[in-house]
Amino acid sequence: MDDCDVLIVGGGPAGSTCAWKLHRAGFHVIVMDKAAFPRDKPCAGWITPQAVQALRLDLGEYTRGRTLQVITGFRVRVMGSPRSVEVKYDRPVSFGIRRCEFDHYLLQRSQATLRLGSPVETIRRDRGRWIVNEAIRASTLVGAGGHWCPVARMLNGARVRGPLVAAQEAEFPIESHRSATFTTEAGTPEFYFCRDFKGYGWCFRKQQYLNVGLGRIDRHGPSKAAAEFLSYLKADGRMPADTHCQWRGHAYLVEAPRTRRAVDEDVLLVGDAAGLADSRSGEGIRAGIESGLLAASMIAGRERLLDYETRLRQCGVIESSSGSTILPDQVSAKLGGLLLQLPWFVRHVVLDRWFLKKSVQARSC
Ligand SMILES: Cc1cc2nc3c(=O)[nH]c(=O)nc-3n(C[C@H](O)[C@H](O)[C@H](O)COP(=O)(O)OP(=O)(O)OC[C@H]3O[C@@H](n4cnc5c(N)ncnc54)[C@H](O)[C@@H]3O)c2cc1C
């Protein structure tokens, strides 16, 4: 039996960030993940400067041998609308990464002891400690296993309740001789809002890779919606007609309204396991990082862990806002379509406020 202070289930950004901070505080941390790393994860791979800052990521070092696309603008359009709005910024407002590289980098950087390639199957309590898979004993357990996290299931039951983003994504290299036939500009991701504002598609060029996807707060028919979106992009000339996408599906809960309990005695949930992704943009990496840091600082500071959810609220990782569409429910689809043609609204409300959260600097939890 291996003993440790903290066992973290899941080596994605939430788990690895928590492990990184705990290891630096002198704790013996084990990270278990069912996947062998590097592993990929369905994701657009868009991160905000606040996420970079919270991670204290050295971008110069990170770029060595890895893809890092600086983003200085966006194109926004309602699907089927004849015109898009382009917004440019005079400095980087986000970055594009590839999850197979990013997650591996963060996990290695954490310096935690790694147990990769085997899933967590059993969790039980014995004399005030956690026993996982009858192989690891830990004082504190952190559930960072994403949407299907076994620790989240233990705390909340198997039934998933609440608004769920169902998404499809594909990422593939653009062959250099066909580069000009993919017309999405690197550094200017494109967002295509669904006409009912229950989700949006994206087309995002990250150096020599293209990432395409669609996410909707709607459990029904994500594959059909993604296939229609791809046909739309081809008809619009964003990519050649013979482009083939190997779709990968995934789902996750958003932070409002809250449906998951994120804490109990000696156990916490971070990231998607706790259902913390932003309700409007679907951004979940930042909340994963911030909740991982908060969990680590509460464990390291021997604080009362039962206050964790209150602290997530106090530092803004859980917001009071709610809603199950991109636009507030009281805004009709027709009005939404008009608003998204206004450059002022797109820049200041959709991008700066909802997607980039410019007024919310790195949250120190
Ligand atoms: C299509 C799509 C696009 C997205 N695009 C973006 C984006 O551009 N920007 C953004 O910020 N967010 C995006 N998100 C959300 C983002 O991907 C998640 O919020 C983020 O990955 C959460 O990180 P995490 O560490 O909590 O979980 P994950 O990254 O899901 O990591 C969980 C880990 O737990 C492991 N695990 C699961 N079960 C077990 C088990 N039983 N035993 C052991 N290990 C286990 C998994 O193998 C995995 O490595 C997107 C999501 C989707 C689906």
Side-chain angles (χ1 to χ4, degrees):
M1 183 85 68
D2 280 345
D3 269 292
C4 63
D5 301 316
V6 184
L7 173 63
I8 300 178
V9 177
S16 62
T17 304
C18 186
W20 175 63
K21 182 149 183 165
L22 283 168
H23 177 84
R24 285 168 17 134
F27 282 68
H28 178 211
V29 185
I30 297 181
V31 177
M32 278 189 85
D33 200 298
K34 65 180 179 185
F37 278 59
R39 64 100 177 87
D40 213 349
K41 150 91 184 57
C43 186
W46 155 65
I47 55 171
T48 47
Q50 296 96 323
V52 171
Q53 195 184 331
L55 282 173
R56 300 199 196 160
L57 200 63
D58 177 344
L59 293 178
E61 183 201 291
Y62 184 81
T63 44
R64 269 181 240 134
R66 296 176 202 91
T67 297
L68 184 82
Q69 177 65 59
V70 172
I71 297 172
T72 52
F74 296 94
R75 279 184 59 185
V76 174
R77 190 168 177 178
V78 177
M79 277 183 216
S81 158
R83 56 183 282 257
S84 58
V85 173
E86 184 166 291
V87 174
K88 288 284 186 191
Y89 296 87
D90 56 9
R91 62 191 180 287
V93 288
S94 280
F95 303 91
I97 47 86
R98 300 189 66 222
R99 290 293 298 269
C100 51
E101 297 169 350
F102 184 71
D103 290 19
H104 191 212
Y105 173 83
L106 294 182
L107 190 56
Q108 284 187 317
R109 188 184 74 153
S110 76
Q111 292 187 40
T113 303
L114 305 180
R115 296 278 179 274
L116 304 178
S118 49
V120 166
E121 279 164 350
T122 61
I123 306 171
R124 68 178 175 88
R125 213 59 179 136
D126 180 47
R127 282 169 280 176
R129 303 195 73 195
W130 296 102
I131 312 283
V132 170
N133 286 4
E134 302 302 324
I136 301 176
R137 185 165 35 216
S139 305
T140 307
L141 184 63
V142 175
H147 182 64
W148 304 110
C149 179
V151 186
R153 272 206 305 275
M154 177 186 78
L155 284 185
N156 293 280
R159 206 173 133 235
V160 176
R161 285 164 289 136
L164 191 73
V165 176
Q168 296 275 311
E169 174 264 12
E171 185 167 286
F172 52 89
I174 299 172
E175 298 155 285
S176 51
H177 67 279
R178 280 163 50 102
S179 185
T181 58
F182 289 84
T183 57
T184 300
E185 203 183 308
T188 308
E190 297 164 358
F191 292 134
Y192 296 83
F193 288 94
C194 301
R195 296 178 78 86
D196 60 3
F197 295 104
K198 284 190 180 296
Y200 67 91
W202 63 88
C203 188
F204 182 9
R205 188 169 184 155
K206 299 180 265 189
Q207 293 171 348
Q208 74 275 33
Y209 290 89
L210 194 76
N211 188 297
V212 191
L214 181 105
R216 282 178 59 77
I217 299 197
D218 176 3
R219 295 165 196 240
H220 307 294
S223 314
K224 185 168 169 267
E228 284 169 4
F229 177 52
L230 186 67
S231 303
Y232 172 75
L233 290 175
K234 288 176 180 175
D236 194 49
R238 314 312 293 162
M239 62 184 74
D242 63 355
T243 307
H244 173 69
C245 280
Q246 192 81 47
W247 294 112
R248 301 178 305 170
H250 195 70
Y252 56 109
L253 287 166
V254 290
E255 35 95 46
R258 300 288 308 146
T259 54
R260 269 192 184 175
R261 187 159 58 121
V263 62
D264 206 340
E265 202 178 330
D266 298 329
V267 54
L268 298 165
L269 302 180
V270 294
D272 276 8
L276 295 178
D278 185 86
S279 325
R280 290 234 160 84
S281 65
E283 179 191 12
I285 297 173
R286 178 181 176 187
I289 292 164
E290 290 173 335
S291 57
L293 291 173
L294 175 64
S297 80
M298 291 184 76
I299 295 167
R302 314 221 181 264
E303 293 180 50
R304 210 176 87 96
L305 297 190
L306 292 175
D307 293 336
Y308 172 64
E309 285 206 32
T310 309
R311 294 282 302 279
L312 282 173
R313 270 197 187 84
Q314 281 169 349
C315 63
V317 178
I318 297 176
E319 289 187 41
S320 49
S321 69
S322 63
S324 55
T325 52
I326 299 283
L327 289 172
D329 286 340
Q330 60 270 32
V331 176
S332 69
K334 193 169 171 200
L335 182 56
L338 292 173
L339 287 173
L340 285 177
Q341 293 193 28
L342 301 177
W344 185 92
F345 185 82
V346 171
R347 176 187 279 269
H348 295 290
V349 180
V350 178
L351 295 172
D352 289 355
R353 196 184 299 171
W354 294 345
F355 277 66
L356 300 171
K357 298 213 158 185
K358 280 182 133 187
S359 59
V360 187
Q361 289 315 308
R363 296 179 277 230
S364 84
C365 296

